[in-house]
Amino acid sequence: MVKRKQMADASAQAVPVPPLQEPSRIPDVLRFPTLVVMSMLLSSALYSGASEFGTGDLASVMRRRDEWWEISGLLAWKAVELAIGWWGEYDGWDIACLTLLSHMPYLYLLTTFYAVRPTTMWLGIAIDVLSTYLPFTLLRDSSPIHRAEVSKGQVANRSILNDTPIKLYTSILAAAVYGLVVFASFRGWLPVYLAVHFDGLRDLSGAHEAALPFVTLGFTMSGYAAQSFLFMPALGAKPDVHDLQMAEFNPETASLGQTVWYNVWGYSKRSRTLIKRTATLAFASAMQTGLRTYITVEGVELAGAGGWATMWATAAVLVGGIFWWVGDVDGVSN
């Protein structure tokens, strides 16, 4: 737990971080609507352009969306995704990593079991990432955690954040967790579940012939995105007022409500950051994967989309748990 003196020292050392770019002239009340419009227009333009370069294999597995709720549901979820990033105070890199991790399961399904080409999958991921990253970058400055030149007074554990081997090891660890969850599902419940709830599957050999090293290797980029979105922001989080309040907690004089709050949310800033981001990733992965799979892929039942989405949400929670364990060592400040 953080001591009062540590909080005072941290406050004294803090130096305002100069912005990387000129403040936006768009009024605050209009920034989020502008973000939504920019992101949706950019996504539409990029997908329209990509259709000229060979994404036609997607059309063969797509369900016709004739109902108003199907289209409006996808658009509404897109706005919710952007709202999560905007009011979660994410910068362009944060939202790019979250987008990659939450959008990849849908396209991974199509590539593995519907004979959609890998190039189509990566093109789709690139479009989804760019259509969120660019608007966020234009409307919001980069976080101090993602700026190597920012001093230790603004970010905790700066030397660890800038350590390339640590980034590499934690990326490999996250990729291994994703790979192990998917591989275990391939070897267990998933093939039968897909056959029952996914009418129109092209090929299940991707599950039966999978090898753990190659499955893990396929999640290399996801592992890097996970450590960037979960581990680094948690490691760089500095103690705040909440930490000071928890340090002053006295079980002998505290009320019942204060005791409950301490036991439920009396964690350090680092732990709270990791918990919130892990919950966000699990929620975004489940919702994006479930909605998009059920609404857009021909022959998918609601239960099937839900099961596929749950697997990825579980993987996100496990990655967050592993990162909490990795960061809970001596020499790493809270």
Side-chain angles (χ1 to χ4, degrees):
M1 193 64 68
V2 180
K3 307 294 186 185
R4 183 190 297 271
K5 182 177 182 301
Q6 290 174 312
M7 287 292 297
D9 291 344
S11 299
Q13 295 173 2
V15 179
V17 180
L20 285 176
Q21 57 192 25
E22 292 295 325
S24 174
R25 296 181 181 180
I26 301 175
D28 290 345
V29 70
L30 296 179
R31 288 191 183 186
F32 179 67
T34 302
L35 174 75
V36 173
V37 172
M38 288 176 61
S39 179
M40 290 188 176
L41 288 178
L42 182 58
S43 178
S44 178
L46 289 174
Y47 269 111
S48 296
S51 64
E52 302 296 328
F53 296 95
T55 58
D57 46 347
L58 284 175
S60 63
V61 300
M62 291 295 99
R63 173 185 296 175
R64 290 181 56 87
R65 297 192 294 271
D66 298 325
E67 300 292 337
W68 66 270
W69 65 268
E70 295 175 328
I71 298 175
S72 60
L74 291 174
L75 292 176
W77 170 243
K78 175 69 173 178
V80 170
E81 277 189 301
L82 296 172
I84 289 172
W86 187 255
W87 277 288
E89 298 184 350
Y90 298 166
D91 64 4
W93 186 248
D94 285 327
I95 198 66
C97 292
L98 177 61
T99 300
L100 186 149
L101 290 168
S102 60
H103 287 225
M104 181 270 299
Y106 166 79
L107 292 166
Y108 186 82
L109 170 73
L110 300 183
T111 300
T112 307
F113 301 113
Y114 284 89
V116 172
R117 291 171 298 175
T119 53
T120 301
M121 180 187 79
W122 288 114
L123 181 59
I125 289 176
I127 291 173
D128 291 345
V129 169
L130 283 174
S131 63
T132 53
Y133 172 77
L134 292 178
F136 266 82
T137 301
L138 291 173
L139 294 172
R140 173 170 286 167
D141 204 6
S142 179
S143 166
I145 290 175
H146 297 140
R147 296 165 58 180
E149 76 279 5
V150 173
S151 68
K152 184 179 179 181
Q154 284 293 334
V155 177
N157 303 303
R158 171 50 76 187
S159 61
I160 301 178
L161 294 177
N162 292 344
D163 191 285
T164 300
I166 289 179
K167 292 182 180 180
L168 177 63
Y169 299 150
T170 50
S171 297
I172 294 173
L173 182 59
V177 173
Y178 270 106
L180 186 59
V181 170
V182 173
F183 179 77
S185 299
F186 282 175
R187 283 291 182 265
W189 63 277
L190 190 59
V192 173
Y193 194 85
L194 291 175
V196 172
H197 297 288
F198 285 69
D199 184 20
L201 284 177
R202 303 288 178 82
D203 188 6
L204 278 173
S205 63
H208 295 302
E209 300 173 2
L212 180 57
F214 294 107
V215 173
T216 300
L217 186 62
F219 291 106
T220 301
M221 188 173 293
S222 298
Y224 181 74
Q227 70 86 24
S228 295
F229 182 73
L230 297 176
F231 188 68
M232 291 302 171
L235 204 63
K238 291 183 65 65
D240 58 8
V241 175
H242 179 88
D243 290 293
L244 179 58
Q245 293 172 342
M246 294 300 101
E248 294 176 339
F249 175 79
N250 185 345
E252 297 180 356
T253 60
S255 65
L256 176 61
Q258 290 172 331
T259 302
V260 172
W261 180 246
Y262 178 83
N263 288 311
V264 172
W265 200 236
Y267 303 104
S268 67
K269 176 67 172 179
R270 184 182 71 203
S271 295
R272 284 181 282 122
T273 299
L274 182 56
I275 290 170
K276 288 190 288 187
R277 284 187 172 239
T278 300
T280 298
L281 175 57
F283 174 74
S285 297
M287 291 297 295
Q288 167 68 22
T289 304
L291 279 175
R292 200 170 177 187
T293 301
Y294 178 64
I295 292 177
T296 66
V297 181
E298 184 66 39
V300 176
E301 299 177 5
L302 182 60
W308 179 253
T310 300
M311 181 184 74
W312 297 97
T314 301
V317 172
L318 291 176
V319 170
I322 289 293
F323 281 156
W324 179 85
W325 174 74
V326 169
D328 190 27
V329 296
D330 293 335
V332 177
S333 64
N334 287 323

